[in-house]
Amino acid sequence: MKILIVEDERKLGLLLKQGLSEAAYGVTLAATCAAARDALCETSFDAIVLDLGLPDGDGLELLRQWRRSGFNEPVIILSARDAVQDRIKGLDFGADDYLPKPFSLQELLARLRSLLRRQASVKDTVLEHRGMRLDLVGRTLHFNGQPVDLTNREFALLEIFMQNPGRILPRTLICEKVWSSPYDVDANLLDVYMSKLRSRLETGGDKPLFKTVRGVGYKLQ
Amino acid sequence: MKSIGARLALWYAAASTVTLACLFLVGYYLLRGYLIHGLDLLNQSEFEQIKARLGPDYSALSSAVIDQRIRETTEYASVLFYIDIHSRDTGTIFYSSNLKGRPIPDIKGARRYDVDWDVGPLRVGEFIMAPYDVAIATPEAQVEGVMEGYAGVCAALLILMLAMSAAIGLGLSRLALRPVRLIRATASRIGSENLSERIPVPAVADEISDLARLLNAMFDRLEASFKNVRRFAADASHELKTPLSLVRLHAEKLLAGGTLNHENEEGMQTLLEELTRVNSTIDELLFLSRAESRSITLELAPHDPADILANFNVDAQVLAEHHGVHFPYSHEGSGQALCEPRWVRRVLLNLLSNAINASPPGGNIRLRSRLTGELWRVEIEDEGAGVPSSEYEHIFDRFVRLKSKDRQRLEGSGLGLAICRGIIELHKGRILAETGSNGRALRVVFEIPAQPPPPRAPSLTPDELAPATSR
């Protein structure tokens, strides 16, 4: 999997490159619009991570040019601009996802995976993990063969975890998927739902089902 | 009067009518003087005629001859002229018969004068024909008649003038005020979305174009300060968030490396948590500065509050249950509120969190929602210790933390209610704090403009509603 990172802040770019390399992605780093254009002409990428404020132009403009000239690689925008309008504008210009700064590496990885999976368009309709069987079409959960009643929110929450077993899921990402708004984090709504989910599904065994990763999010183990 | 246009028209009509009235008055005196002068000339020519009839040796004639000659000359004009000839020595020589034996009153020292006679006002001319004094008088009735006619015509013209000048004045003032209306229309159109629009300045240099230029200069300054706030928000975002990203990624890297001892790992995790908090505080402050400079535009669209509340209630019940409080809610009225649901949801969540923090265990948090024709009103009331009423104004300010007296703890960044106010004001609504129904606890109320429900289709009778086949 090859990723192009377009980021002018050198330290941040290097750190991202290192982090993604450790996650077994092949990474090319471009610091300017021109360098990004060159890189994209030379070789093809599976995904592009694009910072908006670049020294020789605006990332959004670059994205628009790409989309116009037929490049359809998935693009994640990194930006310090978190205004909703900027987010919407980015998505309108053809970005596939929008990640506000400061972000966690886990969050970037989770979003990249989700993008690449979407790209592969392989989606299981039944997810299984540690005795749980989640049927996305029938919207049912069986735990050790027994049906478990879940509310819609609980189901949506569990679905995200079941699609990313063993991976840290950042809070903002979860909230965005379940409530389509990253702001609910403030109300600790996520923690309340997690504790409900835990009380339903955790049997007090050796290894808890959900691990809290402080300052980042949760992980289904 | 409220309209400057109408006031100007009124002034214009009054000024032109008064001017015309003054002119008519002057005309009245001039015309009257002219007509009276005409009477004087008539008297004069009558005198000349009498003098010619008597001949150059009139002083030698006997009084009877004089009487006879004058009567021959003047009797046909007896309606027009009153003639009185007398001598200082011998007394009256001749009276015209229409005087009926009475003399024409004499005003000493005046040659031409008016007298009031029982037949009406007379114009008298006195002429010397030594040794006689001749007084000839003409009735002024005709002059008075002309003057009355003149006054009538003038009055009619004045009324016409008043009406016409009012109409013309109204038209003129509309014409003159058109640039002002243009300024008003443009100025009210200029909002945070189109700050670069300007009032068109007419090419001529007059008071109106000065005003337009002045307003445009004001809009320039306004636009500059708006741009500053926006630039500040963008700069602050970039300058703060890029280094925060670096700090975050470094901390995560250290944690992921697994080389930290337990104590350091704890510290690093706390750092990550604090970083999240700092970030959300930055976001909230930026949101507030954008909201106050109106550089956020919401997509206000009609939404049914019942749906928004039902969706919110799902999560609210979970939160309430988790914190051991009850959350009954009610909604009345149908229609649509003009809002953006996710922002309203944020307000509701913020208010619910505050209420949960203030509530005693097992307490009730009541949400009452009511949609009337033009307003969606939501009240959230807790059973906590409340806030002194003197604080009601301030709790929506930044960094004011609500201390819940029951638990003596501080919650949140202190921006929650400020953000609620920001969001509600962006919805063109208002938010305020009140004392709850038990006279103690806090009730927060917000109101958002609503759209009246569309007029219902004419209701059908049950017969019409029934399918045709069932008949």
CSV table of all heavy atoms in Angstrom, one decimal, chain B residues 89-138:
chain,number,residue,atom,x,y,z
B,89,ASP,N,-68.9,131.6,1.1
B,89,ASP,CA,-69.6,132.7,1.5
B,89,ASP,C,-71.2,132.5,1.5
B,89,ASP,O,-71.9,132.8,2.4
B,89,ASP,CB,-69.3,133.9,0.5
B,89,ASP,CG,-67.8,134.1,0.4
B,89,ASP,OD1,-67.1,133.8,1.4
B,89,ASP,OD2,-67.3,134.4,-0.7
B,90,THR,N,-71.6,132.0,0.3
B,90,THR,CA,-73.1,131.9,0.2
B,90,THR,C,-73.7,130.6,0.5
B,90,THR,O,-74.9,130.4,0.4
B,90,THR,CB,-73.5,132.3,-1.3
B,90,THR,OG1,-72.7,131.3,-2.1
B,90,THR,CG2,-73.1,133.7,-1.6
B,91,GLY,N,-72.9,129.6,0.8
B,91,GLY,CA,-73.4,128.3,1.1
B,91,GLY,C,-73.7,127.5,-0.1
B,91,GLY,O,-73.1,127.9,-1.2
B,92,THR,N,-74.6,126.6,0.0
B,92,THR,CA,-74.8,125.6,-1.1
B,92,THR,C,-75.3,126.3,-2.3
B,92,THR,O,-76.3,127.1,-2.2
B,92,THR,CB,-75.7,124.5,-0.6
B,92,THR,OG1,-75.1,123.9,0.5
B,92,THR,CG2,-75.9,123.5,-1.7
B,93,ILE,N,-74.7,126.0,-3.5
B,93,ILE,CA,-75.2,126.5,-4.8
B,93,ILE,C,-76.1,125.4,-5.4
B,93,ILE,O,-77.1,125.6,-6.0
B,93,ILE,CB,-74.0,126.8,-5.7
B,93,ILE,CG1,-73.1,127.8,-5.0
B,93,ILE,CG2,-74.6,127.4,-7.0
B,93,ILE,CD1,-73.6,129.2,-4.9
B,94,PHE,N,-75.5,124.1,-5.3
B,94,PHE,CA,-76.2,123.0,-6.1
B,94,PHE,C,-76.0,121.7,-5.3
B,94,PHE,O,-74.9,121.4,-4.8
B,94,PHE,CB,-75.5,122.9,-7.5
B,94,PHE,CG,-76.0,121.7,-8.2
B,94,PHE,CD1,-77.2,121.8,-9.0
B,94,PHE,CD2,-75.3,120.6,-8.3
B,94,PHE,CE1,-77.7,120.7,-9.6
B,94,PHE,CE2,-75.8,119.5,-9.0
B,94,PHE,CZ,-76.9,119.5,-9.7
B,95,TYR,N,-77.1,121.0,-5.2
B,95,TYR,CA,-77.1,119.6,-4.8
B,95,TYR,C,-77.6,118.7,-5.9
B,95,TYR,O,-78.7,119.0,-6.5
B,95,TYR,CB,-78.0,119.3,-3.6
B,95,TYR,CG,-77.5,119.8,-2.3
B,95,TYR,CD1,-78.4,120.3,-1.3
B,95,TYR,CD2,-76.1,119.6,-2.0
B,95,TYR,CE1,-77.9,120.6,-0.1
B,95,TYR,CE2,-75.7,120.0,-0.7
B,95,TYR,CZ,-76.6,120.5,0.2
B,95,TYR,OH,-76.1,120.9,1.4
B,96,SER,N,-77.0,117.7,-6.3
B,96,SER,CA,-77.6,116.7,-7.2
B,96,SER,C,-78.8,116.1,-6.5
B,96,SER,O,-78.8,115.9,-5.3
B,96,SER,CB,-76.6,115.7,-7.7
B,96,SER,OG,-76.1,114.9,-6.7
B,97,SER,N,-79.8,115.7,-7.3
B,97,SER,CA,-81.1,115.3,-6.7
B,97,SER,C,-80.9,114.0,-5.9
B,97,SER,O,-81.6,113.8,-4.9
B,97,SER,CB,-82.2,115.1,-7.8
B,97,SER,OG,-81.7,114.2,-8.7
B,98,ASN,N,-79.9,113.1,-6.3
B,98,ASN,CA,-79.8,111.9,-5.6
B,98,ASN,C,-79.2,112.1,-4.2
B,98,ASN,O,-79.2,111.2,-3.4
B,98,ASN,CB,-79.0,110.9,-6.4
B,98,ASN,CG,-77.6,111.4,-6.9
B,98,ASN,OD1,-77.2,112.5,-6.4
B,98,ASN,ND2,-77.0,110.7,-7.8
B,99,LEU,N,-78.7,113.3,-3.9
B,99,LEU,CA,-78.2,113.6,-2.5
B,99,LEU,C,-79.4,113.8,-1.6
B,99,LEU,O,-79.3,113.8,-0.4
B,99,LEU,CB,-77.3,114.8,-2.5
B,99,LEU,CG,-75.9,114.6,-3.0
B,99,LEU,CD1,-75.1,115.9,-3.1
B,99,LEU,CD2,-75.2,113.6,-2.1
B,100,LYS,N,-80.5,114.1,-2.1
B,100,LYS,CA,-81.8,114.3,-1.4
B,100,LYS,C,-81.6,115.3,-0.3
B,100,LYS,O,-82.0,115.2,0.9
B,100,LYS,CB,-82.3,113.0,-0.7
B,100,LYS,CG,-82.7,112.0,-1.8
B,100,LYS,CD,-83.2,110.7,-1.2
B,100,LYS,CE,-83.6,109.8,-2.3
B,100,LYS,NZ,-82.7,108.6,-2.4
B,101,GLY,N,-80.9,116.5,-0.7
B,101,GLY,CA,-80.8,117.6,0.2
B,101,GLY,C,-79.7,117.5,1.3
B,101,GLY,O,-79.5,118.4,2.0
B,102,ARG,N,-79.0,116.4,1.3
B,102,ARG,CA,-77.9,116.3,2.3
B,102,ARG,C,-76.6,116.6,1.6
B,102,ARG,O,-76.4,116.3,0.5
B,102,ARG,CB,-77.9,114.9,2.9
B,102,ARG,CG,-79.1,114.5,3.7
B,102,ARG,CD,-79.2,113.0,3.9
B,102,ARG,NE,-79.3,112.3,2.6
B,102,ARG,CZ,-79.3,111.0,2.5
B,102,ARG,NH1,-79.2,110.3,3.6
B,102,ARG,NH2,-79.4,110.4,1.3
B,103,PRO,N,-75.7,117.3,2.3
B,103,PRO,CA,-74.4,117.6,1.7
B,103,PRO,C,-73.5,116.3,1.8
B,103,PRO,O,-73.7,115.4,2.6
B,103,PRO,CB,-73.8,118.7,2.6
B,103,PRO,CG,-74.5,118.4,4.0
B,103,PRO,CD,-75.8,117.8,3.7
B,104,ILE,N,-72.5,116.3,0.8
B,104,ILE,CA,-71.5,115.2,0.9
B,104,ILE,C,-70.5,115.6,2.1
B,104,ILE,O,-70.1,116.7,2.2
B,104,ILE,CB,-70.7,115.2,-0.4
B,104,ILE,CG1,-71.6,114.7,-1.5
B,104,ILE,CG2,-69.5,114.3,-0.3
B,104,ILE,CD1,-71.0,114.8,-2.9
B,105,PRO,N,-70.3,114.6,3.0
B,105,PRO,CA,-69.5,114.9,4.1
B,105,PRO,C,-68.1,115.4,3.7
B,105,PRO,O,-67.6,114.9,2.7
B,105,PRO,CB,-69.3,113.6,4.9
B,105,PRO,CG,-70.4,112.7,4.4
B,105,PRO,CD,-70.7,113.2,3.0
B,106,ASP,N,-67.6,116.4,4.4
B,106,ASP,CA,-66.3,117.0,3.9
B,106,ASP,C,-65.3,116.6,4.9
B,106,ASP,O,-65.5,116.6,6.1
B,106,ASP,CB,-66.5,118.5,3.9
B,106,ASP,CG,-65.3,119.2,3.4
B,106,ASP,OD1,-64.5,118.5,2.7
B,106,ASP,OD2,-65.1,120.4,3.7
B,107,ILE,N,-64.1,116.1,4.4
B,107,ILE,CA,-63.0,115.9,5.3
B,107,ILE,C,-62.0,117.0,5.0
B,107,ILE,O,-61.5,117.1,3.9
B,107,ILE,CB,-62.4,114.5,5.1
B,107,ILE,CG1,-63.4,113.4,5.4
B,107,ILE,CG2,-61.1,114.3,5.9
B,107,ILE,CD1,-63.0,112.0,5.2
B,108,LYS,N,-61.7,117.8,6.0
B,108,LYS,CA,-60.9,118.9,5.8
B,108,LYS,C,-59.5,118.5,5.5
B,108,LYS,O,-58.9,117.6,6.0
B,108,LYS,CB,-60.8,119.8,7.1
B,108,LYS,CG,-62.2,120.4,7.5
B,108,LYS,CD,-62.4,121.7,6.8
B,108,LYS,CE,-63.8,122.3,7.1
B,108,LYS,NZ,-64.7,122.2,6.0
B,109,GLY,N,-58.9,119.2,4.5
B,109,GLY,CA,-57.5,119.0,4.1
B,109,GLY,C,-57.3,117.9,3.1
B,109,GLY,O,-56.2,117.7,2.6
B,110,ALA,N,-58.3,117.0,2.9
B,110,ALA,CA,-58.1,115.8,2.0
B,110,ALA,C,-58.9,116.2,0.7
B,110,ALA,O,-60.0,116.7,0.7
B,110,ALA,CB,-58.7,114.6,2.6
B,111,ARG,N,-58.2,115.9,-0.4
B,111,ARG,CA,-58.8,116.2,-1.7
B,111,ARG,C,-59.6,114.9,-2.3
B,111,ARG,O,-60.5,115.1,-3.0
B,111,ARG,CB,-57.7,116.6,-2.7
B,111,ARG,CG,-57.0,117.9,-2.3
B,111,ARG,CD,-57.8,119.1,-2.5
B,111,ARG,NE,-58.3,119.2,-3.9
B,111,ARG,CZ,-57.6,119.7,-4.9
B,111,ARG,NH1,-56.4,120.2,-4.7
B,111,ARG,NH2,-58.2,119.8,-6.1
B,112,ARG,N,-59.0,113.8,-2.0
B,112,ARG,CA,-59.7,112.5,-2.4
B,112,ARG,C,-59.8,111.6,-1.2
B,112,ARG,O,-58.8,111.3,-0.5
B,112,ARG,CB,-58.8,111.8,-3.5
B,112,ARG,CG,-58.7,112.7,-4.8
B,112,ARG,CD,-57.9,112.1,-5.7
B,112,ARG,NE,-57.5,112.8,-6.9
B,112,ARG,CZ,-57.8,114.1,-7.3
B,112,ARG,NH1,-58.5,114.9,-6.5
B,112,ARG,NH2,-57.4,114.6,-8.4
B,113,TYR,N,-61.0,111.2,-0.9
B,113,TYR,CA,-61.2,110.4,0.3
B,113,TYR,C,-62.4,109.5,0.2
B,113,TYR,O,-63.2,109.7,-0.7
B,113,TYR,CB,-61.3,111.3,1.5
B,113,TYR,CG,-62.3,112.4,1.4
B,113,TYR,CD1,-63.6,112.2,1.8
B,113,TYR,CD2,-61.9,113.6,0.9
B,113,TYR,CE1,-64.5,113.2,1.7
B,113,TYR,CE2,-62.8,114.6,0.8
B,113,TYR,CZ,-64.1,114.4,1.2
B,113,TYR,OH,-65.1,115.4,1.1
B,114,ASP,N,-62.5,108.5,1.1
B,114,ASP,CA,-63.6,107.6,1.1
B,114,ASP,C,-64.6,108.0,2.2
B,114,ASP,O,-64.1,108.4,3.3
B,114,ASP,CB,-63.2,106.2,1.4
B,114,ASP,CG,-62.2,105.7,0.3
B,114,ASP,OD1,-62.5,105.8,-0.9
B,114,ASP,OD2,-61.1,105.2,0.7
B,115,VAL,N,-65.9,108.0,2.0
B,115,VAL,CA,-66.8,108.2,3.1
B,115,VAL,C,-67.8,107.1,3.0
B,115,VAL,O,-68.1,106.5,2.0
B,115,VAL,CB,-67.6,109.5,3.0
B,115,VAL,CG1,-66.6,110.7,3.2
B,115,VAL,CG2,-68.3,109.7,1.6
B,116,ASP,N,-68.4,106.8,4.2
B,116,ASP,CA,-69.5,105.8,4.3
B,116,ASP,C,-70.8,106.5,4.2
B,116,ASP,O,-71.1,107.3,5.1
B,116,ASP,CB,-69.4,105.0,5.6
B,116,ASP,CG,-68.6,103.7,5.3
B,116,ASP,OD1,-68.6,103.2,4.2
B,116,ASP,OD2,-67.9,103.3,6.2
B,117,TRP,N,-71.5,106.3,3.2
B,117,TRP,CA,-72.8,106.9,3.0
B,117,TRP,C,-73.9,105.8,3.2
B,117,TRP,O,-73.6,104.6,3.2
B,117,TRP,CB,-72.9,107.4,1.6
B,117,TRP,CG,-74.0,108.3,1.2
B,117,TRP,CD1,-75.1,108.1,0.5
B,117,TRP,CD2,-74.1,109.7,1.7
B,117,TRP,NE1,-75.9,109.1,0.4
B,117,TRP,CE2,-75.3,110.2,1.1
B,117,TRP,CE3,-73.3,110.6,2.5
B,117,TRP,CZ2,-75.8,111.5,1.3
B,117,TRP,CZ3,-73.8,111.8,2.7
B,117,TRP,CH2,-75.0,112.3,2.1
B,118,ASP,N,-75.2,106.3,3.4
B,118,ASP,CA,-76.2,105.3,3.7
B,118,ASP,C,-76.4,104.4,2.4
B,118,ASP,O,-76.9,103.3,2.5
B,118,ASP,CB,-77.5,105.9,4.1
B,118,ASP,CG,-78.0,107.0,3.1
B,118,ASP,OD1,-77.2,107.2,2.2
B,118,ASP,OD2,-79.0,107.5,3.3
B,119,VAL,N,-76.0,104.9,1.2
B,119,VAL,CA,-76.1,104.0,0.0
B,119,VAL,C,-74.9,103.1,-0.2
B,119,VAL,O,-74.9,102.3,-1.1
B,119,VAL,CB,-76.4,104.8,-1.2
B,119,VAL,CG1,-77.7,105.6,-1.2
B,119,VAL,CG2,-75.2,105.8,-1.5
B,120,GLY,N,-74.0,103.3,0.7
B,120,GLY,CA,-72.7,102.5,0.6
B,120,GLY,C,-71.5,103.4,0.6
B,120,GLY,O,-71.7,104.6,0.6
B,121,PRO,N,-70.3,102.8,0.5
B,121,PRO,CA,-69.1,103.7,0.5
B,121,PRO,C,-69.0,104.5,-0.8
B,121,PRO,O,-69.4,104.0,-1.9
B,121,PRO,CB,-68.0,102.6,0.6
B,121,PRO,CG,-68.6,101.3,0.2
B,121,PRO,CD,-70.0,101.4,0.5
B,122,LEU,N,-68.6,105.7,-0.6
B,122,LEU,CA,-68.4,106.6,-1.8
B,122,LEU,C,-67.0,107.1,-1.9
B,122,LEU,O,-66.3,107.2,-0.9
B,122,LEU,CB,-69.3,107.9,-1.6
B,122,LEU,CG,-70.8,107.7,-1.5
B,122,LEU,CD1,-71.5,109.0,-1.3
B,122,LEU,CD2,-71.3,107.1,-2.8
B,123,ARG,N,-66.6,107.3,-3.1
B,123,ARG,CA,-65.2,107.9,-3.3
B,123,ARG,C,-65.5,109.4,-3.7
B,123,ARG,O,-66.2,109.7,-4.6
B,123,ARG,CB,-64.5,107.2,-4.5
B,123,ARG,CG,-63.2,107.7,-4.8
B,123,ARG,CD,-62.2,107.4,-3.7
B,123,ARG,NE,-60.9,108.0,-4.0
B,123,ARG,CZ,-59.9,107.9,-3.1
B,123,ARG,NH1,-60.0,107.4,-1.9
B,123,ARG,NH2,-58.7,108.4,-3.4
B,124,VAL,N,-64.9,110.3,-2.9
B,124,VAL,CA,-65.2,111.7,-3.1
B,124,VAL,C,-63.9,112.4,-3.7
B,124,VAL,O,-62.8,112.1,-3.2
B,124,VAL,CB,-65.5,112.3,-1.7
B,124,VAL,CG1,-65.8,113.8,-1.9
B,124,VAL,CG2,-66.7,111.6,-1.1
B,125,GLY,N,-64.2,113.3,-4.6
B,125,GLY,CA,-63.1,114.1,-5.1
B,125,GLY,C,-63.5,115.6,-4.9
B,125,GLY,O,-64.7,115.9,-5.2
B,126,GLU,N,-62.6,116.4,-4.3
B,126,GLU,CA,-63.0,117.8,-4.2
B,126,GLU,C,-62.2,118.7,-5.1
B,126,GLU,O,-61.0,118.5,-5.3
B,126,GLU,CB,-62.6,118.2,-2.7
B,126,GLU,CG,-63.7,117.9,-1.7
B,126,GLU,CD,-63.5,118.6,-0.4
B,126,GLU,OE1,-62.6,119.5,-0.3
B,126,GLU,OE2,-64.2,118.2,0.5
B,127,PHE,N,-62.9,119.5,-5.8
B,127,PHE,CA,-62.2,120.4,-6.8
B,127,PHE,C,-62.5,121.8,-6.5
B,127,PHE,O,-63.6,122.2,-6.0
B,127,PHE,CB,-62.7,120.0,-8.2
B,127,PHE,CG,-62.7,118.5,-8.5
B,127,PHE,CD1,-63.7,117.7,-8.2
B,127,PHE,CD2,-61.5,118.0,-9.0
B,127,PHE,CE1,-63.6,116.3,-8.5
B,127,PHE,CE2,-61.4,116.6,-9.3
B,127,PHE,CZ,-62.4,115.8,-9.0
B,128,ILE,N,-61.6,122.7,-6.9
B,128,ILE,CA,-61.8,124.1,-6.6
B,128,ILE,C,-62.2,124.8,-7.9
B,128,ILE,O,-61.6,124.6,-9.0
B,128,ILE,CB,-60.4,124.8,-6.1
B,128,ILE,CG1,-59.9,124.0,-5.0
B,128,ILE,CG2,-60.7,126.3,-5.8
B,128,ILE,CD1,-60.7,124.0,-3.7
B,129,MET,N,-63.2,125.6,-7.9
B,129,MET,CA,-63.6,126.4,-9.0
B,129,MET,C,-64.0,127.7,-8.4
B,129,MET,O,-65.2,128.0,-8.2
B,129,MET,CB,-64.8,125.7,-9.7
B,129,MET,CG,-65.1,126.2,-11.1
B,129,MET,SD,-66.3,125.1,-11.9
B,129,MET,CE,-67.7,125.5,-11.1
B,130,ALA,N,-63.0,128.5,-8.0
B,130,ALA,CA,-63.2,129.7,-7.1
B,130,ALA,C,-64.3,130.6,-7.7
B,130,ALA,O,-64.4,130.8,-8.9
B,130,ALA,CB,-61.9,130.5,-7.0
B,131,PRO,N,-65.3,131.0,-6.9
B,131,PRO,CA,-65.3,130.9,-5.4
B,131,PRO,C,-66.0,129.6,-4.9
B,131,PRO,O,-66.3,129.6,-3.7
B,131,PRO,CB,-66.1,132.1,-5.0
B,131,PRO,CG,-67.1,132.2,-6.2
B,131,PRO,CD,-66.4,131.7,-7.4
B,132,TYR,N,-66.2,128.7,-5.8
B,132,TYR,CA,-67.0,127.5,-5.4
B,132,TYR,C,-66.1,126.3,-5.1
B,132,TYR,O,-65.0,126.2,-5.7
B,132,TYR,CB,-68.0,127.1,-6.4
B,132,TYR,CG,-68.9,128.2,-6.9
B,132,TYR,CD1,-69.0,128.6,-8.3
B,132,TYR,CD2,-69.7,128.9,-6.0
B,132,TYR,CE1,-69.8,129.6,-8.7
B,132,TYR,CE2,-70.5,129.9,-6.4
B,132,TYR,CZ,-70.5,130.3,-7.8
B,132,TYR,OH,-71.3,131.3,-8.2
B,133,ASP,N,-66.6,125.5,-4.2
B,133,ASP,CA,-65.9,124.2,-4.0
B,133,ASP,C,-66.9,123.2,-4.6
B,133,ASP,O,-68.1,123.2,-4.3
B,133,ASP,CB,-65.8,123.9,-2.5
B,133,ASP,CG,-64.6,124.6,-1.9
B,133,ASP,OD1,-63.7,125.1,-2.7
B,133,ASP,OD2,-64.4,124.6,-0.7
B,134,VAL,N,-66.3,122.3,-5.4
B,134,VAL,CA,-67.1,121.3,-6.1
B,134,VAL,C,-66.7,119.9,-5.5
B,134,VAL,O,-65.6,119.5,-5.5
B,134,VAL,CB,-67.0,121.2,-7.6
B,134,VAL,CG1,-67.9,120.2,-8.2
B,134,VAL,CG2,-67.3,122.6,-8.1
B,135,ALA,N,-67.7,119.2,-4.9
B,135,ALA,CA,-67.4,117.8,-4.4
B,135,ALA,C,-68.2,116.9,-5.3
B,135,ALA,O,-69.4,117.0,-5.4
B,135,ALA,CB,-67.8,117.7,-2.9
B,136,ILE,N,-67.5,115.9,-5.9
B,136,ILE,CA,-68.1,114.9,-6.7
B,136,ILE,C,-67.8,113.5,-6.1
B,136,ILE,O,-66.7,113.2,-5.7
B,136,ILE,CB,-67.6,115.0,-8.1
B,136,ILE,CG1,-67.8,116.4,-8.7
B,136,ILE,CG2,-68.2,113.9,-9.0
B,136,ILE,CD1,-67.3,116.6,-10.1
B,137,ALA,N,-68.8,112.7,-5.9
B,137,ALA,CA,-68.7,111.4,-5.3
B,137,ALA,C,-69.2,110.3,-6.2
B,137,ALA,O,-70.2,110.5,-6.9
B,137,ALA,CB,-69.4,111.4,-3.9
B,138,THR,N,-68.5,109.2,-6.2
B,138,THR,CA,-69.0,108.0,-7.0
B,138,THR,C,-69.1,106.8,-6.0
B,138,THR,O,-68.2,106.7,-5.1
B,138,THR,CB,-67.9,107.7,-8.0
B,138,THR,OG1,-67.4,108.9,-8.6
B,138,THR,CG2,-68.4,106.7,-9.1
